[in-house]
Amino acid sequence: TNTGFLPAAASGLFLLTTTAAFGEDPQILEYADPAGAYVFSYPDYYKETHEFADGTGDTIGVRAEMASPDSASTEEANIGVYAMEPRGVKDLTEDNFEAYVEQFKKDFEPDHRIKFVSSTKTEILGQLGADILFDQKGFSSKVYSLRIIATVADGKDYFARCVYTPGHRDEFAYHCQIAAEYLSL
């Protein structure tokens, strides 16, 4: 499935595919970008994701998987953290919050399959951020949830981009929140 896009100026910091492994309290591990640009903490039930499907190449993030309640399929959420040059809003404040959200809405505007749902204020990188939710129709009739948690920090626009499988927004919201809460530069 195609799970959305952002402008070509966006560069991926890491990708993590997560699905819930609820139950016991996990040990928290740390993933550090090899170039030293960021650090991300994650539960120990996640596994490293490598550049190539055969498990070789650079580590590009972490993932976890969970069988659906009927064990018929594997449910997942794709979560990536990105940085790009700021657009119109160079410093997110209470006064320009709506203009900041509008920038992300315009990013997805050309794709008629993506519809804005809501936005709320949150915290990311220790400061004001935007938590923006879209619905995205897949190539089938399924509708995915696309969530962006973003802010402007150190001269860059940083955001966690999360795509949840249909009908599992509530189950995976926790994992997207972990990506936003534990991200540090």
Side-chain angles (χ1 to χ4, degrees):
T1 58
N2 180 349
T3 55
F5 66 93
L6 279 170
S11 64
L13 290 176
F14 67 92
L15 172 73
L16 78 125
T17 303
T18 115
T19 51
F22 302 109
E24 51 194 79
D25 290 334
Q27 178 182 1
I28 301 298
L29 304 175
E30 190 173 87
Y31 176 80
D33 168 40
Y38 64 90
V39 175
F40 173 77
S41 297
Y42 63 94
D44 63 355
Y45 53 81
Y46 286 45
K47 305 294 181 224
E48 288 185 350
T49 299
H50 293 273
E51 191 175 10
F52 304 110
D54 66 359
T56 61
D58 294 338
T59 302
I60 58 172
V62 292
R63 73 179 162 80
E65 296 177 351
M66 176 186 76
S68 63
D70 62 3
S71 297
S73 63
T74 300
E75 304 298 345
E76 65 181 48
N78 296 308
I79 302 174
V81 175
Y82 299 85
M84 67 183 188
E85 293 301 316
R87 289 145 303 159
V89 175
K90 309 276 190 235
D91 182 35
L92 181 57
T93 66
E94 294 282 340
D95 292 337
N96 64 17
F97 178 83
E98 290 303 323
Y100 186 67
V101 170
E102 282 299 317
Q103 292 177 151
F104 285 93
K105 290 167 67 174
K106 285 182 182 179
D107 290 342
F108 294 110
E109 203 171 75
D111 190 335
H112 68 279
R113 297 172 301 130
I114 300 175
K115 302 292 181 217
F116 173 76
V117 174
S118 65
S119 66
T120 58
K121 293 175 183 170
T122 191
E123 187 175 303
I124 181 173
L125 294 172
Q127 60 192 40
L128 177 64
D131 190 340
I132 310 164
L133 186 62
F134 298 88
D135 279 341
Q136 176 182 357
K137 185 176 180 185
F139 290 114
S140 62
S141 61
K142 295 179 180 181
V143 176
Y144 295 81
S145 296
L146 170 60
R147 183 177 176 195
I148 304 288
I149 302 176
T151 195
V152 179
D154 291 342
K156 293 280 187 189
D157 205 338
Y158 287 96
F159 53 95
R161 178 184 171 274
C162 314
V163 181
Y164 309 123
T165 53
H168 294 278
R169 181 183 294 167
D170 293 339
E171 292 88 341
F172 295 127
Y174 166 76
H175 293 281
C176 190
Q177 201 63 41
I178 283 176
E181 287 177 11
Y182 287 121
L183 179 65
S184 63
L185 305 179

